Amino acid sequence: MRTLFRRKQIPDILKQLEANQLADGHGALGKHLKVRDLTAFGIAAIIGAGIFSTIGEASYQAGPAVIFLFLFTAIACGFAAFAYAEFASIVPVSGSAYTYSYVAFGEIIAWIIGWALIMEYAIGNITVAISWSDYFTDMLSNIKIAAMGIDGIHIPLWSQMDYFSAFKGHQQAMTLLESGKSLKDIPEAIQTAYSAYEQSPTFLGFHVILDLPALFIIILITALVYRGIKESRNASNAMVIIKLAVILLVVGVGVFYIDVSNWNPFAPKGIGGVLKGVSAVFFAYIGFDAISTTAEECEDPQRDLPRGMMWAIIICTILYIAIALVLTGVVSYKTLRVGEPLSFVFTKINLSYLSGIISVSAVVAMASVLLVFQMGQPRIWMSMSRDGLLPSRFAKVHPKYKTPSFATIVVGFVVAVPALFMNLTMVTDLCSIGTLFAFVLVCGGVLMLQNRTDIPRGKFRTPYLNGKYIMPVLLIGAVVLLFTSFKQQTLDFVSNKEQLKTKAEMIEGLNPNQIMALKNHLIQDKNEAFSFSKRNIDKYYELHGKMSLVEDLKFLHLPKSHFYQYGFKHFAHKIPTWIFILFTIFITVMTVLKNLSMIPLLGLLSCLYMMSEIKAENWLYFFIWLALGLVIYFGYGKRHSKLAKPTLIED
């Protein structure tokens, strides 16, 4: 057990870093980054899918009050950024949360967080590449050059979609067609998948369906990252300038079309609606931690990394709030549940030329996110390889370009191959849970080191505020609030009271035959309201409520589980929340005993709370990934660790 928690010593890390710099290119990375470059990398990573896509869903759930969610998320990330900045100042190397955990907790925790970061960056990159492909093909299809007779550039559907989505959509379409629907009555997304499968070429009886634009952008970005940090920096800075110019244009024009009546009510669905968007909004902030992976390429990492992180979060939060206020002010929040909210809003107010500019900017924005993520992951692999936990080839630095060359190429393959064939529907939550886990451990690491006098301190240190008296008051206040203002909801949660499912869950749980049977049942009842809603089940029950749906479904004799969440399955969804509650009680006791610092403590708890808002099944997938990582660690990493030899001599 003692060998599992062996720690790296900071003086040894700094000596190794100095040796790398004197190694004549064999291990040293190029130092080219300043505060403005780090800030630009942070903005490049943060301003991506969040502002061009997920902000629409979050605004639909929360209304104009979504700005409070952005503020809450920014504060949580700010607390975590303090912890990252302190570690980056103490240990200015490329390992990010992995190296910080190695110093604070020991090898097994460092491996776990390193493995989690591999998942975060890999899944994040695959997601961004697929999203970029969607934006890119949409932009091409909207290109119109009258003089040249061009009315959109259309790439074959089979070359812009993954195989599994096309196959699944084709199967769904065939089922719906057999049930009597016509092709034009099938949802557009299923129509597209059906057409892609039908039109695709075949090879040895296998349908060739590949997301070629996603492959193209991954190859391009990987080549850029391989070529050098200076080239990556220049590309990132240029893309950030384009993004900021477009966002300022959107805000500057949109502010003149704001109708303040759209801000009333400001929080239409209350605090519950605001918190529903936690995962989507947090995904918008993922990326600022990637700045810490460039520590060895900074001219003065101990000074510049903390500043770069803070400026990136502050600037992006201001931009997110400004965009959210414009979107919810120009149109009603109820209309914002769309994939491209910025384009949608300006089309609504007849400024379609701005939609074209936004479309181009979205392509640039997604490419810049991919650049930062694709740059961060090889540096994590390189750090793990230097410590012996991965094969030594991953630590190889190109003698000319000063980049982790082998790791960069491998990461390119790891991202490119799945992006060709996969469309991961859970990727946002999985990426978020990996990142939040890293944030929790980094904040916990600062708490672990706060009273240690045997480590050298850098130029930045998180301000100390004793939480001994604050945390118990906050905990007692939260308990009082829950059992007064939210008494019934709290008692239902604690007693695991059965809960009626949402209308959407009940309808989506029906198979095509059952849906047809429900329609026929409503028609036979000569339901005029159903005819008035054009025989659309969703619209009909939107007016009549879910209890009416429960009553109408009785003739199908469906099991209780179709209507209610109950028993252990219902409790399982609450496990992440129980983890947060029990850990909060534990850390409050430890704060009283150990005088823990309030800022990293708040960072830890706010990130753990956001983890608890992510669905339980994603926690399961996350733990499966960690279990796979532990198999690799015990099979290879533990025996080859650079810390293993001193331990053997000691024994």
Side-chain angles (χ1 to χ4, degrees), residues 275-568:
L275 293 177
K276 271 188 179 179
V278 161
S279 179
V281 168
F282 178 75
F283 187 72
Y285 277 92
I286 287 177
F288 85 84
D289 60 314
I291 301 173
S292 62
T293 66
T294 65
E296 291 181 41
E297 290 144 299
C298 299
E299 292 184 2
D300 187 350
Q302 294 182 316
R303 181 197 67 189
D304 294 346
L305 274 171
R307 295 181 182 181
M309 288 183 189
M310 296 303 177
W311 276 117
I313 291 174
I314 291 168
I315 291 170
C316 291
T317 301
I318 293 171
L319 293 175
Y320 275 135
I321 289 174
I323 287 288
L325 287 174
V326 167
L327 291 182
T328 55
V330 174
V331 300
S332 169
Y333 73 93
K334 296 176 183 177
T335 65
L336 287 173
R337 198 174 203 176
V338 293
E340 298 175 355
L342 269 67
S343 297
F344 168 79
V345 165
F346 286 100
T347 301
K348 277 282 187 183
I349 55 176
N350 300 316
L351 294 177
S352 54
Y353 70 91
L354 263 180
S355 297
I357 296 173
I358 291 166
S359 181
V360 174
S361 178
V363 170
V364 173
M366 301 302 285
S368 69
V369 175
L370 186 60
L371 171 65
V372 178
F373 274 45
Q374 201 73 349
M375 187 176 63
Q377 188 172 358
R379 284 153 180 79
I380 300 291
W381 290 26
M382 178 186 72
S383 296
M384 296 175 76
S385 176
R386 284 175 175 174
D387 296 331
L389 302 185
L390 289 177
S392 59
R393 288 211 64 182
F394 288 100
K396 182 181 178 182
V397 174
H398 197 286
K400 179 180 178 182
Y401 300 137
K402 308 292 185 183
T403 58
S405 51
F406 180 76
T408 300
I409 293 172
V410 173
V411 165
F413 276 104
V414 167
V415 176
V417 174
L420 275 175
F421 303 103
M422 297 177 67
N423 184 10
L424 308 176
T425 55
M426 69 189 76
V427 286
T428 301
D429 283 350
L430 266 180
C431 194
S432 294
I433 200 170
T435 306
L436 285 165
F437 184 60
F439 288 5
V440 165
L441 283 185
V442 171
C443 291
V446 169
L447 294 173
M448 290 280 290
L449 298 183
Q450 71 172 29
N451 295 322
R452 284 179 57 181
T453 57
D454 60 332
I455 59 171
R457 293 291 174 178
K459 297 178 183 178
F460 179 88
R461 188 165 184 177
T462 305
Y464 177 77
L465 179 64
N466 194 336
K468 183 174 184 177
Y469 304 105
I470 302 173
M471 270 306 298
V473 172
L474 290 177
L475 181 60
I476 293 169
V479 171
V480 171
L481 181 67
L482 287 171
F483 281 93
T484 53
S485 300
F486 304 97
K487 182 178 179 180
Q488 192 56 52
Q489 296 97 312
T490 304
L491 292 174
D492 290 347
F493 177 86
V494 173
S495 63
N496 198 39
K497 183 179 178 182
E498 66 181 29
Q499 184 178 347
L500 186 64
K501 290 183 178 180
T502 65
K503 171 180 67 69
E505 287 174 327
M506 285 188 271
I507 292 175
E508 288 169 9
L510 299 171
N511 62 43
N513 291 332
Q514 290 170 332
I515 289 175
M516 289 300 298
L518 176 60
K519 282 188 174 183
N520 291 331
H521 176 72
L522 292 171
I523 293 168
Q524 287 168 7
D525 280 355
K526 297 181 180 179
N527 192 315
E528 292 182 9
F530 184 56
S531 300
F532 182 74
S533 64
K534 298 180 180 179
R535 298 186 179 181
N536 185 308
I537 287 178
D538 283 330
K539 286 184 179 179
Y540 175 73
Y541 286 109
E542 196 170 309
L543 294 172
H544 290 77
K546 58 184 179 183
M547 291 310 299
S548 176
L549 174 61
V550 172
E551 191 66 28
D552 290 339
L553 285 174
K554 282 184 177 179
F555 80 99
L556 288 174
H557 305 292
L558 297 169
K560 181 181 178 181
S561 59
H562 186 87
F563 301 99
Y564 290 92
Q565 294 174 337
Y566 64 96
F568 178 77

Side-chain angles (χ1 to χ4, degrees), residues 86-370:
E86 180 165 343
F87 265 120
S89 184
I90 298 170
V91 195
V93 295
S94 294
S96 185
Y98 157 74
T99 301
Y100 307 156
S101 297
Y102 219 146
V103 170
F105 299 107
E107 187 169 281
I108 186 68
I109 304 299
W111 170 267
I112 288 172
I113 195 60
W115 191 247
L117 286 172
I118 287 174
M119 182 194 73
E120 173 202 339
Y121 285 121
I123 292 180
N125 288 348
I126 293 166
T127 312
V128 173
I130 293 170
S131 297
W132 184 91
S133 173
D134 293 340
Y135 278 109
F136 181 69
T137 52
D138 182 64
M139 182 190 73
L140 290 181
S141 66
N142 289 320
I143 291 176
K144 291 179 173 61
I145 307 175
M148 299 177 65
I150 296 175
D151 186 18
I153 300 172
H154 302 283
I155 300 174
L157 290 175
W158 60 266
S159 66
Q160 56 175 281
M161 181 179 288
D162 64 282
Y163 177 83
F164 295 107
S165 291
F167 178 76
K168 183 179 178 182
H170 185 264
Q171 294 291 97
Q172 289 175 321
M174 292 299 291
T175 301
L176 292 172
L177 289 171
E178 287 173 8
S179 68
K181 279 183 175 274
S182 64
L183 189 60
K184 66 179 182 179
D185 294 328
I186 295 174
E188 187 178 346
I190 298 178
Q191 278 188 51
T192 303
Y194 174 81
S195 300
Y197 193 85
E198 287 289 319
Q199 297 167 12
S200 62
T202 56
F203 179 73
L204 299 177
F206 182 81
H207 286 258
V208 179
I209 303 171
L210 305 168
D211 196 340
L212 295 180
L215 177 65
F216 164 75
I217 192 61
I218 292 167
I219 292 173
L220 182 65
I221 294 295
T222 302
L224 182 61
V225 172
Y226 181 90
R227 183 66 176 77
I229 191 67
K230 190 185 291 186
E231 289 74 14
S232 300
R233 176 200 67 189
N234 294 341
S236 172
N237 290 347
M239 287 189 279
V240 164
I241 290 170
I242 294 171
K243 283 198 292 189
L244 292 181
V246 171
I247 290 168
L248 293 175
L249 175 66
V250 166
V251 173
V253 173
V255 74
F256 292 103
Y257 292 85
I258 289 176
D259 179 358
V260 292
S261 65
N262 286 325
W263 290 339
N264 186 27
F266 201 75
K269 301 179 184 177
I271 189 67
V274 173
L275 293 177
K276 271 188 179 179
V278 161
S279 179
V281 168
F282 178 75
F283 187 72
Y285 277 92
I286 287 177
F288 85 84
D289 60 314
I291 301 173
S292 62
T293 66
T294 65
E296 291 181 41
E297 290 144 299
C298 299
E299 292 184 2
D300 187 350
Q302 294 182 316
R303 181 197 67 189
D304 294 346
L305 274 171
R307 295 181 182 181
M309 288 183 189
M310 296 303 177
W311 276 117
I313 291 174
I314 291 168
I315 291 170
C316 291
T317 301
I318 293 171
L319 293 175
Y320 275 135
I321 289 174
I323 287 288
L325 287 174
V326 167
L327 291 182
T328 55
V330 174
V331 300
S332 169
Y333 73 93
K334 296 176 183 177
T335 65
L336 287 173
R337 198 174 203 176
V338 293
E340 298 175 355
L342 269 67
S343 297
F344 168 79
V345 165
F346 286 100
T347 301
K348 277 282 187 183
I349 55 176
N350 300 316
L351 294 177
S352 54
Y353 70 91
L354 263 180
S355 297
I357 296 173
I358 291 166
S359 181
V360 174
S361 178
V363 170
V364 173
M366 301 302 285
S368 69
V369 175
L370 186 60

Side-chain angles (χ1 to χ4, degrees), residues 58 62 65-74 273-278 281 285:
V66 71
I67 65 169
F68 297 123
L69 184 54
F70 281 115
L71 278 173
F72 169 71
T73 309
V274 173
L275 293 177
K276 271 188 179 179
V278 161
V281 168
Y285 277 92

